[in-house]
Amino acid sequence: MAAIVVVFDFDRTLIDGDSDSWVVTEMGLSDLFHQLRSTLPWNSLMDRMMKELHSRGETADDIAECLKKTPVHPRIAAAIKAAHAFGCDLRILSDANQFFIEKILEHHDLLGCFSKIYTNPTFVDEEGRLRIFPYHDSTLSPHGCSLCPSNLCKGQVLNNIQASAPESERQNFIYLGDGSGDYCPTLKLGDKDYVMPRKNYPLWNCIFSDRAFVKAEVREWSNGEELEGTLLHLINRISSERSIL
């Protein structure tokens, strides 16, 4: 079991933009999206957008081709590959969706670096339409967290990841994120862990609105170069500290 677990958010962290917005804009869905934005939960809205694409004759392969154009900062890609080569356990915890994330990572030759992706599930139905569903089905088992959207409590998922390791094998966590949904898992980190919020984004604002609530050491970043330098520095630091113990 890896000693260092690195957990990435996806939108505005691993990629600079938002994968949902990318597809909506690039595939000509902006008008309908904004018409329906206030009437549906986000997951249902994106599922509705996929229905619209299907009705226009667009296939899952067409959506995948659109996603391949999503840029990934070269220094972030390099950091991911370096962390994986170092032996870290890399995971994604995201409120995007499985299809979008996997297609983008696959195109940039990064999918194999991640041991697990926790996100809203997808499948292509018998008609060829891409379907998007919530990670947590709030109608069956609400997660009950007031900090998180009904479809995904990232803190609950992080708790499960932490609990999966034997007590005799302590792991150090590095969590990278940007949004308010990343605050809940940040609160689950211990004093031997690190959180890397994107500077001047909602997670950063949440942390510094009352720093006392966060036990983990905070290391901010603003761009791909800073993410790479900070992440690899922390991995080396943790590795050196563990070798002394």
Side-chain angles (χ1 to χ4, degrees):
M1 181 170 287
I4 303 172
V5 182
V6 184
V7 182
F8 284 83
D9 176 37
F10 191 72
D11 292 326
R12 301 187 185 88
T13 299
L14 196 155
I15 64 172
D16 191 53
D18 179 277
S19 54
D20 288 343
S21 297
W22 177 269
V23 170
V24 166
T25 302
E26 295 294 316
M27 301 196 76
L29 296 167
S30 297
D31 289 346
L32 180 62
F33 179 88
H34 291 299
Q35 287 173 24
L36 299 176
R37 177 67 187 95
S38 62
T39 67
L40 292 169
W42 190 271
N43 277 118
S44 301
L45 179 59
M46 287 307 299
D47 187 56
R48 174 66 180 82
M49 294 300 100
M50 298 306 100
K51 180 181 179 180
E52 177 65 20
L53 288 177
H54 182 67
S55 73
R56 296 180 184 180
E58 303 278 8
T59 67
D61 287 341
D62 294 327
I63 299 168
E65 286 302 312
C66 174
L67 290 162
K68 288 178 182 179
K69 301 173 187 175
T70 308
V72 173
H73 195 290
R75 299 324 310 160
I76 293 179
I80 290 168
K81 291 177 179 179
H84 178 255
F86 192 86
C88 299
D89 181 0
L90 274 59
R91 306 190 185 205
I92 290 174
L93 177 48
S94 168
D95 201 7
N97 69 74
Q98 177 189 355
F99 186 90
F100 288 14
I101 292 172
E102 289 183 354
K103 293 304 178 184
I104 292 170
L105 293 179
E106 191 174 55
H107 179 69
H108 292 278
D109 196 28
L110 296 173
L111 184 59
C113 294
F114 294 91
S115 66
K116 184 75 174 175
I117 299 173
Y118 308 87
T119 189
N120 299 299
T122 57
F123 76 92
V124 179
D125 68 16
E126 64 279 1
E127 296 180 354
R129 172 187 162 192
L130 178 62
R131 302 299 311 273
I132 300 173
F133 294 94
Y135 185 87
H136 296 300
D137 187 343
S138 59
T139 61
L140 296 177
S141 180
H143 58 65
C145 176
S146 61
L147 293 175
C148 295
S150 62
N151 66 292
L152 175 60
C153 175
K154 291 186 175 183
Q156 185 180 108
V157 176
L158 188 67
N159 265 344
N160 293 339
I161 298 171
Q162 292 168 324
S164 67
E167 290 188 19
S168 60
E169 298 185 34
R170 180 180 61 82
Q171 294 177 300
N172 295 96
F173 282 76
I174 304 172
Y175 188 97
L176 300 92
D178 73 284
S180 57
D182 296 307
Y183 186 56
C184 182
T186 294
L187 297 177
K188 310 297 183 185
L189 299 170
D191 58 8
K192 301 296 184 183
D193 300 322
Y194 296 86
V195 60
M196 289 179 54
R198 192 170 187 179
K199 189 175 181 180
N200 294 324
Y201 279 69
L203 174 60
W204 186 88
N205 293 329
C206 288
I207 290 171
F208 287 102
S209 66
D210 195 332
R211 181 67 182 80
F213 286 117
V214 177
K215 297 176 184 176
E217 188 169 325
V218 181
R219 295 297 184 89
E220 62 188 34
W221 61 280
S222 296
N223 53 47
E225 288 84 2
E226 289 181 7
L227 185 151
E228 179 188 35
T230 302
L231 177 60
L232 298 185
H233 170 75
L234 291 179
I235 290 170
N236 285 321
R237 176 179 171 179
I238 293 168
S239 179
S240 296
E241 290 174 350
R242 291 180 71 96
S243 67
I244 295 171
L245 297 177

